[in-house]
Amino acid sequence: MDQTQHDRLLIIDFGSQVTQLIARRLRELNVYCEIHPYQNVTDAFLAEFAPKAVIFSGGPDSVTREGSPRPPQTVYDMGVPILGICYGQQVMMQDLGGRVEGGKISGGGGTAEFGRAYVTPSDERIDLLAGWFLEGREQVWMSHGDHVAALAPGFEVYGTSPNAPYAITADVSRNFFAVQFHPEVHHTPNGATVYENFIKLAGFKGDWTMAAYREEMIEKIRTQVGDAKVICALSGGVDSSVAAALIHEAIGENLTCVFVDHGLLRLNEAEEVVGMFRDHMNLRVIHAQEQDLFLGELEGVSDPETKRKIIGKLFIDVFQKYADQIDGAQFLAQGTLYPDVIESVSFSGGPSVTIKSHHNVGGLPEKMGLKLVEPLRELFKDEVRALGHELGLPASFIGRHPFPGPGLAIRCPGEITREKLEILRKADAVYIDQIRKHGLYDEIWQAFVAILPVRTVGVMGDGRTYDYACALRAVTSVDGMTADYYPFSHEFLGETATRIINEVQGINRCTYDITSKPPGTIEWE
Ligand code: XMP
């Protein structure tokens, strides 16, 4: 993506697990950066990208191995500052005439090192380390098998740890810096300062703000779309909502959103979403009321995958039906985020996130001959939230927990009935109300109720009850790929169970799901 007005920093990815964190640290400093896998970084790419500085990420390979990942040699001749991290340090040393040794040998030049370590400074201080070593030593996070055994010509040592004599190295005359540890991770508490110093000495202005981004994206959308019409599947989730709000600012009435109501939404959800976008923000929103269609097709179905397939197919059919009514639509808007983009060009070709394929309108652009507008492609989730604030979306909306495309269908194991959905909606609303009242909502990645396909016996007042049992779920997570159950207090759980059983007719028993992911998943189906 072209952000030519800003200074650009290039992160060359050698496959580290934490490369994205480098980008995060830089964006926090208002620096525009992009991550590109090393294979894509050719001479032509470098010339076109014209970075003002370059960072080499860490990576799992060994530079001592024939054919291990390298940048093109020209990167060293561009006259721009370079910072190499871990594997990136070893790449620099090997490429520039030093020596790297492999394996877990101890003594001599250094050993493999994983985890916390402490770096102490050499006598001479450099700008990269301004604000470091104020209290003598700095905690850093190491994660390496190989180590540098001889420095490349021109490099000096500026910090050492017990197992890494070359923990911090630099050729100050060329502004080449190479560190053995990972300054981007949380366990290097003063690590952000290293990035701050690096971009300062590289001359970055730090002018990549959300307000600037908003203005530029609006211009860009106008240029891309012209007078053509755009359609957007509005799910009520943060990504599609922010994308719609931004595109609306750019092209106004030429954007039409389709909100598919499949009858599997939470209490008052359709009214809230349609009300906000249509009535408060003046967007054209088609409220596709297709509850009967979806619930009809789902009748009697209890297999989770069959449910998902039915919903996915109907969603596309319905969206297409409404989109066909919009004359001359040429573009489809999608809230694709930067992690999705990186994932798809991933260095390691690792397992890509299939989560969204259920829920976005995958395959539709080709089928309908539509081009894509993806204004969030450069942003991380919390940057999308910041942009949402910038665009005036309410905080309560922007901070909402994720909600799956198939909706309550996958929180209703077994057959789905209107009766069960009604009960589930009410129980979920009470649960979320409890979480909000206790000030826990923002600490939790996702919380919901699942209604179980089982009735249990209870006693209320003097009478016997025979009603549904439900499970409460709340997890913490960073990306939904792994998760841990949230450690509510017993008081909270007791109070919530009492409220649900008292306030929601049809439920007489509450359980709390304490499964992490893996081995469980977040949703029940
Ligand atoms: P699981 O249950 O796989 O969920 O641990 C991980 C995250 O993905 C959400 N999820 C979905 N989102 N369409 C979506 O848009 C889906 O079909 C879908 N299935 C799960 C889930 O809510 C959690 O945030």
Side-chain angles (χ1 to χ4, degrees), residues 308 355-360 402-406 410-411 445-446 448 479-481 517 520-525:
R308 281 177 176 274
I355 294 161
K356 293 199 174 162
S357 60
H358 303 280
H359 138 103
N360 68 23
F403 186 65
I410 58 174
R411 296 176 179 177
W445 162 270
Q446 202 168 2
F448 58 86
D479 52 13
M481 304 296 286
K517 172 185 179 176
T521 55
I522 296 176
E523 302 290 347
W524 272 51
E525 289 193 333

Coordinates of all heavy atoms in Angstrom, one line a residue, residues 308 355-360 402-406 410-411 445-446 448 479-481 517 520-525, ligand 1:
R308 N -23.2 -24.8 10.3 CA -22.3 -23.8 9.8 C -22.5 -23.7 8.3 O -22.5 -22.6 7.7 CB -20.9 -24.1 10.1 CG -20.5 -23.8 11.5 CD -19.1 -24.2 11.8 NE -18.6 -23.8 13.1 CZ -18.1 -22.6 13.4 NH1 -18.0 -21.7 12.4 NH2 -17.8 -22.3 14.6
I355 N -11.0 -18.7 10.4 CA -12.1 -18.2 11.2 C -13.0 -17.3 10.4 O -14.2 -17.4 10.4 CB -11.6 -17.3 12.4 CG1 -10.8 -18.2 13.3 CG2 -12.7 -16.6 13.1 CD1 -9.9 -17.4 14.2
K356 N -12.5 -16.4 9.6 CA -13.3 -15.4 8.9 C -14.0 -15.9 7.7 O -14.9 -15.3 7.2 CB -12.5 -14.2 8.6 CG -12.1 -13.5 9.9 CD -11.7 -12.1 9.7 CE -11.5 -11.5 11.1 NZ -10.7 -10.3 11.0
S357 N -13.5 -17.0 7.1 CA -14.1 -17.5 5.9 C -15.6 -17.8 6.1 O -16.3 -17.7 5.1 CB -13.3 -18.7 5.4 OG -13.4 -19.7 6.3
H358 N -15.9 -18.2 7.3 CA -17.4 -18.5 7.5 C -18.2 -17.2 7.3 O -19.3 -17.2 6.9 CB -17.6 -18.9 9.0 CG -16.8 -20.1 9.4 ND1 -17.1 -21.3 9.0 CD2 -15.6 -20.2 10.1 CE1 -16.2 -22.2 9.5 NE2 -15.3 -21.5 10.2
H359 N -17.6 -16.1 7.7 CA -18.4 -15.0 8.1 C -18.3 -13.9 7.1 O -19.3 -13.1 6.9 CB -18.0 -14.7 9.5 CG -17.9 -13.2 9.9 ND1 -18.9 -12.6 10.6 CD2 -16.9 -12.4 9.7 CE1 -18.5 -11.3 10.8 NE2 -17.3 -11.2 10.3
N360 N -17.2 -13.8 6.4 CA -17.2 -12.8 5.3 C -17.8 -13.4 4.1 O -18.2 -14.5 4.0 CB -15.8 -12.1 5.2 CG -14.8 -13.1 4.6 OD1 -15.2 -14.0 3.9 ND2 -13.6 -12.8 4.8
P402 N -15.9 -10.0 20.3 CA -16.2 -10.6 19.0 C -17.5 -11.5 19.0 O -17.8 -12.0 20.1 CB -15.0 -11.5 18.7 CG -13.9 -11.1 19.7 CD -14.6 -10.4 20.8
F403 N -18.1 -11.5 17.9 CA -19.3 -12.4 17.8 C -19.3 -13.2 16.5 O -19.0 -12.6 15.5 CB -20.6 -11.4 17.8 CG -21.9 -12.2 17.9 CD1 -22.2 -12.9 19.0 CD2 -22.8 -12.1 16.8 CE1 -23.4 -13.6 19.1 CE2 -24.0 -12.8 16.9 CZ -24.3 -13.6 18.0
P404 N -19.5 -14.5 16.6 CA -19.2 -15.3 15.4 C -20.3 -15.1 14.3 O -21.5 -14.8 14.7 CB -19.2 -16.7 16.0 CG -20.1 -16.6 17.2 CD -19.9 -15.3 17.8
G405 N -19.9 -15.3 13.1 CA -20.8 -15.1 12.0 C -22.1 -16.0 12.1 O -23.2 -15.5 12.0
P406 N -21.9 -17.3 12.5 CA -23.1 -18.2 12.7 C -23.9 -17.8 13.9 O -25.0 -18.5 14.2 CB -22.6 -19.6 12.8 CG -21.1 -19.5 12.4 CD -20.7 -18.1 12.6
I410 N -24.3 -21.6 17.1 CA -23.2 -22.4 17.6 C -23.1 -22.3 19.1 O -22.1 -22.8 19.7 CB -21.8 -22.1 16.9 CG1 -21.4 -20.6 17.0 CG2 -21.9 -22.5 15.4 CD1 -20.1 -20.3 16.4
R411 N -24.0 -21.6 19.7 CA -24.1 -21.5 21.2 C -25.3 -22.3 21.7 O -25.8 -22.1 22.8 CB -24.1 -20.1 21.7 CG -22.8 -19.4 21.3 CD -22.8 -17.9 21.6 NE -21.5 -17.3 21.2 CZ -21.2 -16.1 21.3 NH1 -22.1 -15.2 21.8 NH2 -20.0 -15.7 21.0
W445 N -11.8 -11.2 26.8 CA -11.8 -11.2 25.3 C -13.2 -11.5 24.8 O -13.7 -10.8 23.8 CB -10.9 -12.3 24.8 CG -11.0 -12.8 23.4 CD1 -11.8 -13.8 23.0 CD2 -10.4 -12.2 22.3 NE1 -11.7 -13.9 21.6 CE2 -10.8 -12.9 21.1 CE3 -9.5 -11.2 22.1 CZ2 -10.4 -12.7 19.8 CZ3 -9.0 -10.9 20.8 CH2 -9.5 -11.6 19.7
Q446 N -13.9 -12.4 25.4 CA -15.2 -12.8 24.9 C -16.0 -13.5 26.0 O -15.4 -14.4 26.7 CB -15.0 -13.8 23.7 CG -16.2 -13.9 22.8 CD -15.7 -14.6 21.5 OE1 -14.6 -15.1 21.4 NE2 -16.6 -14.8 20.6
F448 N -20.0 -15.3 26.9 CA -21.3 -15.6 26.4 C -21.9 -16.8 27.1 O -21.2 -17.4 27.9 CB -21.3 -15.9 24.9 CG -20.4 -17.1 24.5 CD1 -20.8 -18.4 24.6 CD2 -19.0 -16.8 24.2 CE1 -20.0 -19.4 24.2 CE2 -18.2 -17.9 23.8 CZ -18.7 -19.2 23.9
D479 N -5.7 -13.2 20.5 CA -6.1 -13.2 19.1 C -7.1 -14.3 18.8 O -7.5 -14.6 17.6 CB -4.8 -13.5 18.2 CG -4.1 -14.7 18.7 OD1 -4.6 -15.5 19.5 OD2 -2.9 -15.0 18.2
G480 N -7.6 -14.9 19.8 CA -8.7 -15.9 19.6 C -8.1 -17.3 19.2 O -8.8 -18.3 19.2
M481 N -6.8 -17.4 19.0 CA -6.2 -18.6 18.6 C -5.9 -19.5 19.8 O -6.1 -20.8 19.7 CB -4.9 -18.4 17.8 CG -5.0 -17.5 16.6 SD -6.0 -18.2 15.4 CE -4.9 -19.5 14.8
K517 N -8.3 -23.1 25.6 CA -8.1 -23.4 24.2 C -6.7 -23.4 23.9 O -6.1 -22.3 24.0 CB -8.9 -22.5 23.3 CG -8.6 -22.6 21.8 CD -9.3 -21.6 21.0 CE -8.9 -21.9 19.5 NZ -9.6 -20.9 18.6
G520 N -9.9 -27.1 24.3 CA -11.3 -26.7 23.9 C -11.2 -25.7 22.8 O -10.1 -25.3 22.4
T521 N -12.4 -25.3 22.3 CA -12.4 -24.1 21.5 C -13.2 -23.0 22.3 O -13.8 -23.4 23.3 CB -13.1 -24.3 20.1 OG1 -14.4 -24.9 20.4 CG2 -12.3 -25.3 19.3
I522 N -13.2 -21.8 21.8 CA -13.9 -20.8 22.6 C -15.4 -21.0 22.5 O -16.1 -21.1 23.5 CB -13.6 -19.4 22.0 CG1 -12.1 -19.1 22.3 CG2 -14.4 -18.3 22.7 CD1 -11.6 -17.8 21.8
E523 N -15.9 -21.2 21.2 CA -17.3 -21.5 21.1 C -17.6 -23.0 21.4 O -16.6 -23.8 21.4 CB -17.8 -21.2 19.6 CG -17.5 -19.8 19.2 CD -18.5 -18.8 19.8 OE1 -19.5 -19.2 20.4 OE2 -18.2 -17.6 19.7
W524 N -18.8 -23.3 21.6 CA -19.1 -24.7 21.9 C -19.2 -25.6 20.7 O -19.3 -26.8 20.8 CB -20.4 -24.8 22.8 CG -20.1 -24.7 24.3 CD1 -19.3 -23.7 24.8 CD2 -20.4 -25.6 25.3 NE1 -19.2 -23.9 26.2 CE2 -19.9 -25.0 26.5 CE3 -21.2 -26.7 25.4 CZ2 -20.0 -25.7 27.7 CZ3 -21.3 -27.3 26.6 CH2 -20.8 -26.8 27.8
E525 N -19.4 -25.0 19.5 CA -19.5 -25.8 18.3 C -18.6 -25.2 17.2 O -18.4 -24.0 17.2 CB -21.0 -25.8 17.8 CG -21.9 -26.6 18.7 CD -23.2 -26.9 18.0 OE1 -23.6 -26.1 17.2 OE2 -23.8 -27.9 18.4
Ligands
XMP1 P1 -13.2 -20.9 18.3 O1 -14.5 -21.4 18.8 O2 -12.8 -21.5 17.0 O3 -13.3 -19.4 18.1 O4 -12.1 -21.1 19.4 C1 -12.3 -18.5 17.9 C2 -12.9 -17.1 17.7 O5 -13.5 -17.1 16.4 C3 -14.9 -16.8 16.5 N1 -15.6 -17.7 15.6 C4 -16.1 -17.3 14.4 N2 -16.1 -16.1 13.9 N3 -17.3 -17.0 12.0 C5 -16.8 -15.9 12.7 O6 -16.9 -14.8 12.2 C6 -17.3 -18.2 12.5 O7 -17.9 -19.2 11.9 C7 -16.7 -18.4 13.8 N4 -16.5 -19.5 14.6 C8 -15.8 -19.0 15.7 C9 -15.2 -17.1 18.0 O8 -16.4 -16.4 18.4 C10 -14.0 -16.7 18.7 O9 -13.9 -15.3 18.8

